Amino acid sequence: MLSDKAKSEITESLKKYTNKRSACMDALRIAQAEASNNITKAAMEEIAGILGMKPVEVNAVATFYTMYNVKRPVGEYHIQVCRNISCSLLGAEHLIKHMENVLGIKTGATTPDNKFTLKTVECLGSCGTAPMMQINDDFYESLTKEKIDAILKDLK
Amino acid sequence: MEKVLLKNIDKPDAYKIDKYIEYGGYKAVREALKSNRDHIIQVVKESGLRGRGGAGFSTGLKWSFIPKDPTIQKYLCCNADEGEPGTFKDRGIMDNDPHLLLEGMMIACYAIGASVAYIYIRGEFAFGIRRLQTAIDEAYSKGFLGKNIFGSEFSLDMYIHSGYGAYICGEETALLESIEGYRAQPRKKPPFPALAGLYGKPTVINNVETLSCIPAIIEKGPKWFSSIGPEKSPGPKIFGVSGHVKRPGLYELPMGTTLREIIFDHCGGMLNDKKLKAVIPGGVSAPMLIAKDLDTPMDFDSVAAKGSMLGSGAVIVMDETTCMVKMAYIINRFFSHESCGKCTPCREGTAWLTNILKRLEHGEGNDGDVELLESVGTNIFGRTFCPLGDGAVMALRGTLKYFKDEFVYHVKNKRCMVG
Ligand SMILES: Cc1cc2nc3c(=O)[nH]c(=O)nc-3n(C[C@H](O)[C@H](O)[C@H](O)COP(=O)(O)O)c2cc1C
Ligand code: SF4
Ligand code: FES
């Protein structure tokens, strides 16, 4: 169930647009934020009800955009390491391997305690401070193995 | 050159409205609101400003296509999707000087008669989204947005629409689909957005950097702007430099600054003083150039004359230790990942290319793979619905043009020629 707070945020979003459907992306973001960073079928059905859409239409939107975690639930900390060109030129691959070792999981997996999900991602627009990664909303830039160790230690 | 786009980037708290005003902001829009709309469009035309989103289309001309009928609803969409790998310039403006963008958008909206504007920003830019929202809220509270802005007759509402992880949303018609609440797949053109854009209404789509040039053009005049850089491609330009250089980052320089000056003067030269092997001048869709091209002026026409494109001005520098098969694999994997799936040549073709490049990269290439890359490319090129598919092929062709021997080496020796 969406919380009252979420529902009122969705109502707020509707004011930005001339059609209800435009608020679909905001609604999904709001729903995901309050469900430990995941989108559930129930949430999509509720959003469909609010916006006058069919649940399959909401699902079609949710599955198109990669930041909605629909079929790929993520842990408490969603780590996304950039693997695109500028980060790669400065050693992203080694950092990804290092992360796998430290976390004891392969890229794409979540630790058994559901704390960390490790993924790779395409360019995040932070190429001048490559290599970089994003954990939940935050960017971590100019990474080294030592920096990564310190960041993970803080979160553990 | 006096900085225009990054002038506030190092000034304390420039993102706050009072500071922005203290630093001279929100003067241009007041001036613009006093003049006639057509006059502003004329000034922007005369300045020679060309779109900084990649295509380099005349901004004034684009604005002039919007119907004048005041009874028709019109929209401005600011393209802040910034997804082209290597590109991080718009984020620099939005994070540090959001009011510069807002001011540019206000002037643009007034000129085209749009009463509603959206900033389409990629969802990963959580910090920038917060900064922009705060800036918008501040502007409303001062009466710079909303009814009768700055006490004029003109009313304007501005909203953020956050993308959620899809490169194709940067393509202008896919962006419109996304705001309308659909999967972001490009639309057929014509009709062009200037006549039937957002919700079927006349719409201008402009890049963040393009719009951020506007206040200075109003304040200092079109002649000042057109006197910077080459005649046909003038103005200040932000170059975002990444990869193997000593000082990567954002550099605001006149259009037409050479690659050599950018890399060796401004960025301090190659990282660890290695030799330069290749450079991508405008984001990964732009074919690579090599050391002999270093004296190319970085403007739309000069880079095009070298068979590449200025694109977003994202300069990606690669040294002699770089494996070009690997780069081609990374770039193509990106396009395949981001293909929206609407048309078969792009959806299937880029996936094929990625598979072939992956096996080459992993030392599992077969005889004939290099030829196969070329023939798959031929079957994609010119047959796709939007420029993404063509971009993928052009990038690959550019790499093969200079480094085919590395691909052949990978097939024969099952490993890299370098490192
Ligand atoms: C696949 C693709 C991705 C694009 N991505 C962006 C982008 O992230 N930002 C942008 O401003 N323009 C992007 N463009 C260009 C836009 O379609 C459009 O030309 C531009 O926003 C127009 O603004 P301008 O005239 O101010 O440059 C992209 C184009 C294509 C084909
Ligand atoms: S070329 Fe690719 S991205 Fe463009 S419409 Fe076709 S499938 Fe979509
Ligand atoms: S390539 Fe990693 S942030 Fe752009």
Side-chain angles (χ1 to χ4, degrees):
Chain A
M1 277 288 283
L2 292 173
S3 69
D4 288 342
K5 181 168 161 282
K7 281 186 201 149
S8 79
E9 280 176 35
I10 294 172
T11 312
E12 224 13 71
S13 167
L14 280 166
K15 293 185 191 154
K16 305 195 298 192
Y17 307 105
T18 58
N19 75 350
K20 281 182 163 183
R21 191 184 180 116
S22 287
C24 183
M25 290 182 69
D26 269 356
L28 286 165
R29 172 177 53 77
I30 292 162
Q32 174 158 301
E34 69 168 12
S36 330
N37 219 0
N38 291 301
I39 295 211
T40 60
K41 196 161 166 258
M44 286 193 278
E45 278 165 8
E46 242 186 301
I47 290 170
I50 298 171
L51 302 180
M53 293 166 72
K54 296 191 193 102
V56 291
E57 291 176 312
V58 176
N59 185 71
V61 173
T63 50
F64 184 85
Y65 299 91
T66 58
M67 284 173 67
Y68 298 120
N69 302 311
V70 187
K71 289 181 191 134
R72 321 162 283 259
V74 296
E76 187 184 347
Y77 294 106
H78 185 196
I79 306 175
Q80 302 188 79
V81 191
C82 175
R83 64 170 185 178
N84 213 296
I85 186 160
S86 309
C87 289
S88 179
L89 286 169
L90 295 172
E93 240 170 51
H94 302 291
L95 296 182
I96 294 165
K97 285 217 181 77
H98 181 68
M99 292 276 240
E100 288 184 334
N101 288 339
V102 175
L103 295 172
I105 50 172
K106 286 264 167 241
T107 302
T110 301
T111 52
D113 60 0
N114 212 29
K115 198 145 184 187
F116 298 100
T117 298
L118 177 64
K119 282 194 207 158
T120 52
V121 69
E122 299 299 346
C123 178
L124 290 175
S126 199
C127 330
T129 41
M132 65 82 64
M133 66 177 172
Q134 184 178 24
I135 304 182
N136 297 346
D137 269 357
D138 300 321
F139 281 17
Y140 295 84
E141 299 164 280
S142 307
L143 292 174
T144 58
K145 281 183 187 169
E146 293 70 36
K147 262 192 175 172
I148 285 183
D149 290 344
I151 294 162
L152 291 182
K153 206 169 142 206
D154 262 6
L155 299 179
K156 263 182 179 164
Chain B
M1 187 193 70
E2 182 198 349
K3 281 193 190 159
V4 180
L5 297 159
L6 301 180
K7 64 175 190 295
N8 288 335
I9 204 152
D10 296 321
K11 292 189 192 152
D13 296 337
Y15 66 92
K16 294 182 178 156
I17 198 162
D18 290 331
K19 287 288 171 190
Y20 179 73
I21 294 170
E22 190 186 315
Y23 301 145
Y26 286 122
K27 276 195 207 136
V29 59
R30 288 175 209 264
E31 209 177 306
L33 287 166
K34 284 185 220 140
S35 51
N36 160 305
R37 300 200 146 104
D38 289 337
H39 172 71
I40 297 173
I41 297 181
Q42 191 54 34
V43 165
V44 174
K45 252 191 209 166
E46 274 168 28
S47 75
L49 172 63
R50 294 170 65 176
R52 306 308 198 219
F57 192 80
S58 158
T59 305
L61 199 57
K62 191 185 266 192
W63 294 4
S64 73
F65 295 151
I66 295 291
K68 308 281 177 213
D69 182 348
T71 62
I72 304 177
Q73 172 71 51
K74 301 164 197 96
Y75 295 102
L76 174 75
C77 294
C78 168
N79 192 340
D81 197 49
E82 188 147 83
E84 181 71 25
T87 314
F88 51 101
K89 65 188 176 79
D90 298 339
R91 179 174 160 234
I93 295 175
M94 293 187 289
D95 282 4
N96 301 293
D97 202 6
H99 288 285
L100 178 67
L101 172 61
L102 264 47
E103 186 172 6
M105 289 178 69
M106 290 169 188
I107 299 168
C109 285
Y110 175 69
I112 62 168
S115 59
V116 179
Y118 293 98
I119 302 176
Y120 190 102
I121 180 169
R122 60 182 300 186
E124 293 91 338
F125 287 173
F127 182 82
I129 292 171
R130 285 197 299 272
R131 273 276 156 96
L132 283 170
Q133 190 57 55
T134 308
I136 290 174
D137 295 344
E138 284 178 325
Y140 268 104
S141 71
K142 284 217 184 291
F144 297 0
L145 284 173
K147 287 252 166 307
N148 304 102
I149 69 170
F150 299 94
S152 73
E153 298 282 291
F154 183 60
S155 299
L156 173 64
D157 284 310
M158 203 180 277
Y159 306 109
I160 293 174
H161 187 94
S162 157
Y164 239 54
Y167 166 71
I168 194 60
C169 294
E171 194 282 331
E172 56 187 22
T173 61
L175 180 151
L176 300 176
E177 287 288 298
S178 183
I179 298 182
E180 290 187 18
Y182 294 91
R183 295 167 82 100
Q185 293 186 316
R187 293 178 183 173
K188 195 166 139 257
K189 290 192 257 190
F192 288 95
L195 294 180
L198 188 62
Y199 306 121
K201 304 290 187 215
T203 303
V204 162
I205 298 119
N206 271 141
N207 171 260
V208 171
E209 187 186 355
T210 311
L211 290 162
S212 300
C213 289
I214 303 295
I217 293 175
I218 298 299
E219 238 172 87
K220 299 169 197 259
K223 287 217 172 56
W224 160 81
F225 191 88
S226 62
S227 71
I228 301 169
E231 197 188 327
K232 294 217 163 69
S233 186
K237 173 80 192 92
I238 305 178
F239 297 103
V241 191
S242 65
H244 296 143
V245 291
K246 287 205 171 82
R247 290 193 299 272
L250 297 177
Y251 295 88
E252 180 181 350
L253 301 165
M255 273 279 190
T257 305
T258 67
L259 275 171
R260 189 185 302 282
E261 283 173 75
I262 294 174
I263 297 169
F264 290 93
D265 298 345
H266 299 285
C267 299
M270 297 294 294
L271 191 64
N272 303 321
D273 297 313
K274 293 236 165 65
K275 248 171 73 186
L276 182 140
K277 183 166 183 177
V279 50
I280 295 177
V284 295
S285 302
M288 290 179 183
L289 300 175
I290 53 174
K292 77 166 173 49
D293 301 314
L294 279 176
D295 293 309
T296 308
M298 287 287 281
D299 62 73
F300 290 109
D301 307 312
S302 307
V303 184
K306 293 280 174 185
S308 185
M309 56 184 191
L310 182 69
S312 60
V315 177
I316 307 164
V317 182
M318 292 166 267
D319 72 18
E320 55 193 329
T321 65
T322 312
C323 168
M324 289 302 154
V325 177
K326 184 168 169 188
M327 290 305 115
Y329 169 50
I330 288 173
I331 293 169
N332 200 80
R333 180 179 67 187
F334 166 76
F335 284 120
S336 164
H337 184 260
E338 299 299 336
S339 167
C340 81
K342 181 166 180 148
C343 59
T344 318
C346 168
R347 185 186 61 237
E348 304 296 325
T350 54
W352 261 57
L353 291 176
T354 303
N355 275 336
I356 303 166
L357 289 164
K358 186 176 181 180
R359 63 176 185 254
L360 288 181
E361 167 61 10
H362 291 241
E364 292 153 7
N366 308 321
D367 284 339
D369 270 353
V370 182
E371 293 71 21
L372 195 56
L373 283 175
E374 284 165 338
S375 89
V376 176
T378 308
N379 282 309
I380 301 173
F381 194 79
R383 293 179 169 81
T384 62
F385 195 79
C386 90
L388 185 143
D390 283 351
V393 176
M394 278 177 343
L396 178 60
R397 281 182 180 165
T399 315
L400 280 168
K401 177 167 138 197
Y402 294 117
F403 303 106
K404 195 167 172 176
D405 53 336
E406 282 191 41
F407 288 74
V408 173
Y409 190 96
H410 263 253
V411 174
K412 283 216 178 91
N413 301 286
K414 312 288 178 207
R415 64 177 187 87
C416 287
M417 212 162 155
V418 292

